[in-house]
């Protein structure tokens, strides 16, 4: 089989056979197809799309490109969670310890930043000493001992996705339904979980920006999971603005610790509780999401969730002291307050531009090999619907240099539109999708 022929076929919008898809995926996993041909194929898929049959075949081929983890040594129902990626979206660092504190094992394999979105692994690595590389044996032992582990995909798990994910990040091929659905679901099916909760973002900072596109993506992933015999609940949540107020790796770890310590309320906490409550339902720990939420709130209020995070950081070689003193997290050289400079209501945010501003400051990668600066990013306390006056703090920049801060300030100002008229804050949850159908919460 010849890669040029396959790229040509997809370029012309033709359907690839199972054999052809498996050839391309094997080439990605075994590195027998060069990056430039993989990149061309990714762009052809991005531009021409895939049929539902091709997407399912691609997912299963990616799952089968490596080992499928066997988590049967961990007692209980293992529920995984995955987000399609957002800005200031650090729910995993909150709900993984909280769900574990409720007695449900969380064996989670997470990803790195992709495009304008942050990645849990990059955030965790901003904690001194912490490693996200563990063997499957270590991973299982940690979950058996303390109930929670968040690590990178082991080298043998969906290796095709590892190659394609890194290439998509730097070839403008992130926003493709078949590529997202196959990337997410191949990893989730290979990671050995019994059930899966998906957080599908929608809005200006999401990979899929329209509600209909996000629901379509959610449905595709639920269908793939159902076909593979795993219960999947997909929740479409808003990404019209950063979820938390903090954007950047160490800053988002701080935001998560502040939520677990009971110091921060708001959207990040609410969405974490929403996703966590559905994890507890799928794990048979709660009969309803409402009951699940109650259990999570108890774990939060008693400090059990924060204690689980401490245990997890310690088990992964990190210093848990940051849970009690967030000033121990990496700190940027330049910290600058930016005033709103206008009077009005925050009406609209270009959240992708905000994510790209953080990426340009050094919080994300532009090239595959870029090293990150964990300390940089920004804190944006203003939410859509808030009224500001000229003296209100618009954001706090955490930058490597005054020049970087200047560029970020300009980008952030350009990304936020103010209005003279009051503006309604957008909903946090738009729809919940299961194999039984779509439940919408908005018109
Ligand atoms: N998360 C993933 O794992 N893959 C994608 O393609 C997008 C989000």
């Amino acid at each position: 089989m010849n890669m040029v022929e396959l790229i040509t076929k997809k370029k012309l919008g033709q359907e690839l056979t199972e054999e052809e898809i498996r050839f391309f995926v094997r080439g990605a996993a075994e590195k027998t197809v060069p990056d430039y041909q993989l990149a061309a194929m990714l762009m052809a898929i991005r531009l021409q799309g895939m049929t539902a049959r091709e997407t399912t075949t691609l997912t299963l081929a990616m799952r089968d490109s490596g080992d499928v983890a066997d988590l049967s040594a961990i007692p209980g129902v293992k529920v995984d969670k995955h987000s399609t990626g957002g800005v200031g979206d650090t729910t995993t660092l909150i709900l993984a310890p909280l769900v574990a504190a409720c007695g449900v094992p969380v064996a989670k394999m997470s990803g790195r930043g992709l495009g304008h979105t942050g990645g849990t692994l990059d955030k965790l690595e901003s904690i001194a000493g912490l490693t996200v590389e563990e063997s499957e044996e270590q991973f299982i032992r940690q979950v058996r001992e303390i109930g929670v582990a968040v690590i990178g995909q082991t080298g043998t798990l969906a290796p095709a996705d590892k190659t394609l994910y890194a290439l998509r990040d730097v070839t403008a091929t992130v926003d493709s339904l078949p590529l997202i659905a196959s990337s997410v679901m191949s990893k989730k099916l290979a990671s050995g979980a019994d059930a899966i909760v998906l957080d599908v973002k929608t809005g200006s900072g999401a990979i899929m920006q329209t509600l209909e596109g996000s629901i379509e993506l959610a449905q595709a992933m639920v269908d793939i999971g159902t076909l593979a015999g795993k219960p999947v609940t997909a929740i479409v949540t808003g990404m019209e603005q950063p979820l938390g107020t903090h954007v950047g790796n160490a800053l988002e770890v701080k935001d998560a610790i502040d939520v677990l310590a009971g110091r921060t309320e708001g959207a990040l906490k609410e969405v974490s509780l929403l996703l966590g409550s559905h994890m507890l339902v799928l794990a048979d720990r709660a009969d309803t999401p409402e009951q699940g939420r109650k259990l999570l709130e108890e774990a939060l209020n008693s400090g059990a969730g924060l204690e689980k995070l401490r245990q997890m950081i310690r088990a992964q070689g990190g210093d848990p002291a940051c849970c009690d003193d967030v000033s121990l997290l990496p700190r940027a050289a330049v910290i600058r307050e930016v005033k709103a400079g206008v009077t009005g209501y925050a009406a609209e945010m270009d959240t992708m531009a905000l994510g790209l501003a953080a990426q340009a400051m050094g919080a994300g990668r532009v090239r595959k090999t870029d090293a990150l600066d964990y300390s940089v990013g920004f804190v944006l306390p203003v939410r859509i619907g808030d009224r500001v006056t000229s003296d209100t703090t618009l954001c706090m920049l955490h930058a490597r240099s005054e020049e970087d801060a200047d560029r970020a300030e300009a980008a952030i100002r350009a990304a936020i539109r103010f209005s003279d008229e009051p503006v309604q804050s957008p909903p946090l949850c738009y729809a919940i999708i299961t194999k039984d159908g779509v439940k919408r919460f908005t018109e």
Side-chain angles (χ1 to χ4, degrees):
M1 214 169 282
N2 171 337
M3 220 22 227
V4 178
E5 282 170 19
L6 302 196
I7 296 167
T8 306
K9 208 170 157 186
K10 189 38 76 187
K11 179 181 78 177
L12 297 174
Q14 294 165 10
E15 188 169 358
L16 298 174
T17 65
E18 174 166 358
E19 208 191 349
E20 288 167 340
I21 290 173
R22 286 196 177 263
F23 174 81
F24 146 63
V25 169
R26 201 165 38 247
E30 294 171 3
K31 310 246 184 218
T32 48
V33 172
D35 279 0
Y36 51 83
Q37 288 185 323
L38 295 175
M41 177 59 103
L42 290 170
M43 186 56 85
I45 294 172
R46 163 63 185 84
L47 295 176
Q48 293 291 359
M50 277 186 144
T51 62
R53 189 200 60 76
E54 282 179 298
T55 305
T56 302
T57 305
L58 178 61
T59 308
L60 299 182
M62 283 166 66
R63 177 198 65 186
D64 299 340
S65 68
D67 296 333
V68 174
D70 177 4
L71 302 183
S72 56
I74 303 169
V77 184
K78 276 76 66 187
V79 186
D80 206 343
K81 167 264 166 189
H82 197 91
S83 159
T84 56
V87 178
D89 170 18
T90 194
T91 58
T92 293
L93 295 185
I94 297 165
L95 61 77
L98 274 182
V99 168
C102 293
V104 170
V106 180
K108 175 137 181 51
M109 294 191 200
S110 283
R112 298 204 174 271
L114 186 65
H116 66 286
T117 69
T120 303
L121 299 183
D122 298 329
K123 295 170 202 173
L124 277 172
E125 282 179 345
S126 66
I127 299 171
L130 188 143
T131 177
V132 294
E133 312 261 327
E134 286 191 0
S135 67
E136 198 173 315
E137 295 72 44
Q138 288 171 313
F139 179 56
I140 289 174
R141 194 177 331 120
Q142 182 177 327
V143 180
R144 282 181 65 101
E145 283 173 8
I146 64 166
V148 59
V150 179
I151 65 162
Q153 306 165 218
T154 59
T156 51
L157 194 126
D161 179 63
K162 206 166 186 173
T163 306
L164 297 178
Y165 193 90
L167 274 177
R168 284 170 57 215
D169 192 22
V170 289
T171 56
T173 51
V174 170
D175 59 340
S176 151
L177 189 150
L179 294 179
I180 302 169
S182 58
S183 165
V184 171
M185 292 308 291
S186 63
K187 279 183 298 222
K188 296 299 102 179
L189 296 178
S191 72
D194 303 307
I196 301 154
V197 171
L198 298 173
D199 181 10
V200 181
K201 301 287 180 192
T202 195
S204 64
I207 296 180
M208 294 307 227
Q209 301 200 344
T210 66
L211 181 56
E212 292 319 309
S214 304
I215 290 179
E216 202 188 331
L217 172 63
Q219 264 174 324
M221 293 194 288
V222 169
D223 289 349
I224 293 170
T226 306
L227 209 85
K230 309 264 180 190
V232 180
T233 299
I235 306 180
V236 177
T237 63
M239 189 38 69
E240 296 86 355
Q241 56 191 331
L243 182 60
T245 50
H246 292 51
V247 179
N249 295 294
L251 289 169
E252 291 184 47
V253 172
K254 174 185 178 301
D255 215 7
I257 291 172
D258 283 345
V259 170
L260 287 171
R263 287 189 289 269
T264 296
E265 300 294 326
L268 175 62
K269 174 179 168 182
E270 285 307 310
V271 172
S272 302
L273 292 179
L274 175 68
L275 298 168
S277 67
H278 283 272
M279 289 174 77
L280 294 186
V281 170
L282 285 183
D284 289 333
R285 180 73 178 84
D287 291 332
T288 61
E290 293 72 30
Q291 207 182 76
R293 184 185 165 110
K294 249 192 163 146
L295 292 172
L296 294 168
E297 278 174 339
E298 279 164 25
L300 198 147
N301 295 335
S302 69
L306 187 58
E307 176 53 20
K308 266 293 162 229
L309 182 64
R310 280 192 203 96
Q311 289 175 8
M312 184 183 99
I313 293 173
R314 194 176 300 116
Q316 294 183 211
D319 183 357
C322 61
C323 293
D324 301 292
D325 180 0
V326 287
S327 73
L328 295 172
L329 290 164
R331 196 178 157 81
V334 174
I335 298 182
R336 180 192 295 177
E337 181 183 19
V338 175
K339 301 278 192 195
V342 292
T343 295
Y345 297 88
E348 223 179 305
M349 296 196 191
D350 181 345
T351 308
M352 183 177 288
L354 292 172
L356 291 174
Q359 184 192 43
M361 294 173 89
R365 293 175 191 80
V366 179
R367 278 176 306 269
K368 214 164 89 163
T369 46
D370 283 350
L372 300 184
D373 185 331
Y374 296 119
S375 70
V376 299
F378 52 85
V379 181
L380 182 69
V382 173
R383 315 280 303 163
I384 293 177
D386 287 356
R387 185 170 189 278
V388 302
T389 60
S390 136
D391 211 33
T392 306
T393 301
L394 178 66
C395 66
M396 296 294 298
L397 299 171
H398 293 239
R400 274 191 286 221
S401 65
E402 294 293 347
E403 295 71 32
D404 278 9
D406 289 344
R407 275 190 291 271
E409 179 174 339
I412 292 169
R413 281 194 192 286
I416 303 176
R417 189 178 67 76
F418 290 92
S419 141
D420 292 335
E421 303 301 322
V423 176
Q424 263 214 314
S425 57
L428 293 178
C429 174
Y430 286 88
I432 297 185
I433 294 106
T434 63
K435 69 174 182 6
D436 300 323
V438 180
K439 188 169 162 193
R440 289 178 187 253
F441 297 99
T442 54
E443 300 284 286

